[in-house]
Amino acid sequence: MTEDKERLDRAIMAMRVAKELPPGGTVNLGIGIPTLVSMFVGDDSIVFYHSESGVLNCGPLAEDGNEDIDLINAGGQFLEPVPGMAYFSSADAFAMIRGGHVDVTVLGAHQVSANGDLANWMLPERGVGNIGGAMDLAAGADKVIVAMEHNDRNGNAKVVEECSFPLTGKGCVSLVVTDVAVLEPTPDGMVLRETAPGWSPEDVQEITGAALIIPESVGEYEV
Amino acid sequence: MPLTETSAFKIARRAAREIAPGAVVALDRGLPELVARVTPESMGVWFLRADGTLNGIPLSAADAAAIVRGGYVDLAIVHPAQVTADGRFVGRLYARDASIAPPGIGVDLASGARRIIALHPQINEDEPEICLASHLLERPVDGVGGIDRVIADCAVFEPQGTEFVLSEIATDRQADDVVADSDLSEVVSISDYPAAMDFTVPSGTPESKVHADGASALHDLPDGVTVFIDGFGGPGGMAHYLLMSLRDRGSRGLTIVSNTAGIARVVSFGTPPGRTAIDHSVLIENGQVAKAIASFPVSPSVSRPSEFELAYRRGEVDLELVPQGTLAERLRAGGAGIRAFYTPTGAGTLIAEGKESRTIDGRDYILEYGLRADFAIIRAHKADINGNLIYRGTSRNFNAVMAPAARVTIVEVDEIVEPGQLDPEEIVTPGVFVQRIVKRPDGFTGYE
């Protein structure tokens, strides 16, 4: 029975993702759990944050009362001005993404398939959705990491054999960090890399919509 | 007759008379550069030079070529080695040694400039590299059918397909003599009444780009056109005053192209606490919008739908959903005269349906088309009276890519300054892309 098992909170997931950011790399963080990741990047690890709003090397969120409408991230949050920022047009912002200049992007998702297809822009029941920069990031970033809850509010699996929701990109996801596991999509299927404390590979399989490839050694969720 | 300083300046002055006040003129190296020296500054002419500067504003090679291909060059002045009666021309470097000479910008000018005139310093058979010809020597051609007029120091020639017509003659020369002396009789016929060449310096001033208010700036924005509306989604970088002016004007059946279709009002995107921002919703609730082309058209919150989403669900507006980077690149391409491009974004998704696709180096790409509009309503921080713009912070994003892609770009700024008060090194949008400037009224906040 997995219902009673404790799942990791969003901060722990963000800490796990933070370990994947290469020092000196250029990183684009999506909205939601991904935004939290920057809080857990160590001071000794310099990461350059990129935002589709047209800023590179952006800093932390602005403090209350310090809001500047001309300094926002892609989620419409206000940024604190920091030394070394660069501003540019949307054409340049996406040239950076598609041109292979963004090392890692961290995105949320509705579904990820076993071979790394990503669906994160529309829930079919709404009938309309926002793409924003997600399709460009999926197509252009060197490494796409998905940070999401393992199951949706109704308990449905979000790691699936094939996505049933409209795709954002095909075969683009390199790593999936959830509240119970770390998984790696491959052409052969979804490989289970790490499980949360108290979760066995079989527990994770029970709440997953794709047949997991379980290697001989599955690590403990490492933060 | 060798080229003297006097005759060179005469040619330059006659060429300058081809220029309208405020025009954008691309200058080849050499003799054409003299044209800028004889043109009065008061004419407000934009000179795009072969060194990649635009009235002193340094441009990248890509941006300089974009101005040419984007259709912004009213007149190109070249100094070719050879011009044929059907308007083709060969650059001088090519003429000397085709194996080492690059085609340069001549090829772009030939396809992008509205008019091209060639300066023809000497009519002299001793200089066979510089000639009017019925057919080209066996050399690569820079432009096909591009040259509209050839200006020499004693006559003007019009390429007419199979021959040149001498249409103007210097008052101290005889047309018959010029043709005979220079052995041009095989390729030139003389107009029945050649006009007298005018070597006086041109004059005139361009119409001011500065408009007193939004109503004046939008006075000719009709129903049914496409309008780029700036900004990322929040109040930063959005021309609220012009948006309200457009609502007051009431133009209907508009296709709006924008990153969002108005979400700031319902979810406070990029909006300081306690404020409600004016956004696209003012046009939608006024029934002025028929279609939106956007990447982030609806509220991220299902429970707080925007005016656009409500109208969309009522079937009152159409939507073309475009990935944000594809939207930016479609605008960039539209402004740069690139009709279409292949992008990997959206391959294998709903976005790819019905579009041409191609596999290049093992990866799938889809064909997307450049986007142009009749009008753009954009926001910048400062403009000089020539329309050179600087922005603030992240509010540059879609403004800077929309400005070049519209026929009439109208900018709302905090401050209008005199030429020279903006550092050319810091200008982001050169004024050739800006047709009208309006200062945001004092006290206007952009909030409801």
Side-chain angles (χ1 to χ4, degrees):
Chain A
M1 294 302 286
T2 55
E3 287 84 18
D4 308 331
K5 285 187 181 291
E6 192 180 345
R7 298 190 182 215
L8 302 171
D9 64 24
R10 294 156 71 98
I12 302 285
M13 293 162 66
M15 288 169 76
R16 177 63 190 85
V17 173
K19 292 176 63 73
E20 298 291 325
L21 306 188
T26 301
V27 175
N28 181 296
L29 301 178
I31 300 164
I33 299 168
T35 309
L36 298 175
V37 172
S38 65
M39 293 170 58
F40 300 103
V41 175
D43 291 342
D44 54 339
S45 175
I46 296 169
V47 171
F48 298 97
Y49 294 105
H50 166 279
S51 177
E52 302 98 297
S53 59
V55 58
L56 186 64
N57 196 21
C58 48
L61 298 183
E63 292 179 17
D64 288 351
N66 239 2
E67 297 89 358
D68 179 350
I69 60 170
D70 296 320
L71 186 47
I72 61 168
N73 65 18
Q77 295 168 303
F78 297 102
L79 298 170
E80 199 70 39
V82 294
M85 289 194 301
Y87 303 128
F88 35 82
S89 73
S90 295
D92 288 344
F94 284 92
M96 289 177 197
I97 293 171
R98 281 188 314 261
H101 307 285
V102 172
D103 299 303
V104 177
T105 186
V106 186
L107 301 172
H110 298 317
Q111 291 178 327
V112 179
S113 76
N115 68 346
D117 292 352
L118 170 66
N120 77 349
W121 70 272
M122 184 167 84
L123 292 169
E125 71 250 28
R126 190 173 182 192
V128 62
N130 292 319
I131 295 175
M135 282 192 182
D136 295 284
L137 285 164
D142 279 358
K143 185 170 185 182
V144 177
I145 300 175
V146 165
M148 66 177 189
E149 272 94 18
H150 206 87
N151 301 85
D152 71 15
R153 282 188 198 125
N154 302 319
N156 297 311
K158 297 172 75 170
V159 174
V160 293
E161 209 61 60
E162 268 187 59
C163 295
S164 57
F165 296 168
L167 291 186
T168 307
K170 283 181 84 74
C172 57
V173 178
S174 316
L175 197 71
V176 182
V177 174
T178 76
D179 49 3
V180 301
V182 177
L183 309 108
E184 183 184 347
T186 70
D188 299 327
M190 188 66 83
V191 179
L192 181 64
R193 292 294 178 203
E194 299 169 19
T195 56
W199 288 74
S200 69
E202 294 70 28
D203 294 335
V204 175
Q205 177 66 76
E206 192 184 317
I207 58 167
T208 302
L212 296 176
I213 297 171
I214 300 173
E216 272 184 32
S217 78
V218 174
E220 175 132 321
Y221 204 97
E222 204 182 314
V223 292
Chain B
M1 191 167 57
L3 181 68
T4 62
E5 189 174 330
T6 310
S7 59
F9 274 95
K10 279 170 79 175
I11 294 171
R13 288 201 304 273
R14 173 60 190 83
R17 298 191 63 78
E18 302 279 326
I19 302 172
V24 180
V25 179
L27 299 177
D28 199 358
R29 287 185 197 279
L31 186 57
E33 290 172 326
L34 278 186
V35 177
R37 284 179 56 187
V38 303
T39 304
E41 210 168 295
S42 57
M43 285 182 70
V45 176
W46 295 90
F47 287 110
L48 177 65
R49 291 167 191 264
D51 65 4
T53 59
L54 177 69
N55 280 11
I57 303 168
L59 304 172
S60 70
D63 286 347
I67 288 176
V68 175
R69 266 194 329 261
Y72 282 94
V73 174
D74 300 299
L75 177 68
I77 303 178
V78 297
H79 178 191
Q82 199 177 38
V83 181
T84 58
D86 59 2
R88 289 176 292 164
F89 64 102
V90 169
R92 277 167 299 142
L93 287 172
Y94 251 135
R96 251 176 242 143
D97 183 351
S99 67
I100 58 161
I105 203 166
V107 175
D108 292 298
L109 285 173
S111 63
R114 293 219 176 81
R115 291 181 68 228
I116 309 180
I117 61 173
L119 305 188
H120 185 53
Q122 344 177 40
I123 298 175
N124 186 343
E125 58 189 312
D126 296 337
E127 282 275 359
E129 296 291 10
I130 302 168
C131 62
L132 306 180
S134 56
H135 63 279
L136 291 169
L137 304 177
E138 286 184 13
R139 285 173 186 139
V141 179
D142 272 356
V144 177
I147 301 285
D148 297 289
R149 184 165 280 180
V150 181
I151 297 175
D153 65 344
C154 58
V156 174
F157 304 91
E158 317 275 344
Q160 299 267 330
T162 55
E163 61 172 12
F164 294 90
V165 171
L166 186 154
S167 58
E168 292 179 28
I169 185 77
T171 52
D172 59 348
R173 300 292 297 274
Q174 293 294 323
D176 292 337
D177 295 346
V178 167
V179 172
D181 290 355
S182 51
D183 205 18
L184 288 171
S185 53
E186 280 184 23
V187 291
V188 173
S189 69
I190 300 170
S191 160
D192 289 345
Y193 302 101
M197 279 184 86
D198 187 345
F199 295 108
T200 56
V201 171
S203 61
T205 50
E207 206 175 309
S208 171
K209 291 182 176 182
V210 179
H211 286 247
D213 55 34
S216 163
L218 300 176
H219 70 276
D220 56 352
L221 198 155
D223 292 350
V225 293
T226 299
V227 184
F228 295 150
I229 295 180
D230 55 351
F232 194 73
M238 193 156 200
H240 298 105
Y241 170 63
L242 288 173
L243 206 60
M244 295 304 280
S245 302
L246 180 54
R247 188 199 63 173
D248 294 345
R249 180 170 167 73
S251 311
R252 300 176 73 83
L254 302 175
T255 294
I256 59 170
V257 180
S258 199
N259 186 36
T260 80
I263 59 167
R265 187 200 268 183
V266 287
V267 292
S268 301
F269 187 96
T271 310
R275 299 284 204 168
T276 303
I278 294 168
D279 67 16
H280 314 61
S281 305
V282 298
L283 301 180
I284 292 156
E285 64 193 358
N286 203 29
Q288 294 176 258
V289 176
K291 180 182 178 183
I293 299 176
S295 94
F296 209 92
V298 296
S299 165
S301 162
V302 181
S303 59
R304 281 173 288 169
S306 63
E307 287 294 333
F308 175 81
E309 185 171 352
L310 296 173
Y312 179 73
R313 294 198 185 287
R314 290 193 300 265
E316 293 167 4
V317 292
D318 289 331
L319 170 64
E320 180 180 337
L321 189 60
V322 182
Q324 196 172 92
T326 299
L327 182 63
E329 190 63 12
R330 288 181 67 187
L331 291 162
R332 196 197 68 78
I338 299 291
R339 193 63 197 88
F341 56 91
Y342 283 100
T343 179
T345 302
T349 75
L350 284 177
I351 289 301
E353 285 184 6
K355 289 177 182 158
E356 287 181 50
S357 64
R358 179 179 283 202
T359 305
I360 303 171
D361 295 337
R363 191 157 186 209
D364 292 338
Y365 292 81
I366 57 178
L367 185 70
E368 296 281 2
Y369 288 89
L371 202 49
R372 287 193 62 87
D374 307 290
F375 291 86
I377 289 176
I378 68 164
R379 176 93 165 99
H381 179 43
K382 284 187 193 178
D384 69 21
I385 59 169
N386 295 328
N388 295 313
L389 303 180
I390 60 169
Y391 302 90
R392 270 200 86 229
T394 48
S395 292
R396 177 187 307 193
N397 46 38
F398 271 99
N399 287 291
V401 279
M402 285 177 171
R407 184 174 59 80
V408 179
T409 291
I410 309 167
V411 62
E412 173 179 333
V413 294
D414 297 313
E415 193 181 348
I416 301 173
V417 300
E418 290 300 311
Q421 290 185 257
L422 300 180
D423 181 351
E425 298 283 358
E426 293 178 351
I427 289 167
V428 174
T429 298
V432 296
F433 298 132
V434 176
Q435 282 67 47
R436 298 174 194 171
I437 308 162
V438 179
K439 186 179 174 303
R440 180 185 275 229
D442 293 335
F444 184 91
T445 64
Y447 302 113
E448 287 177 352

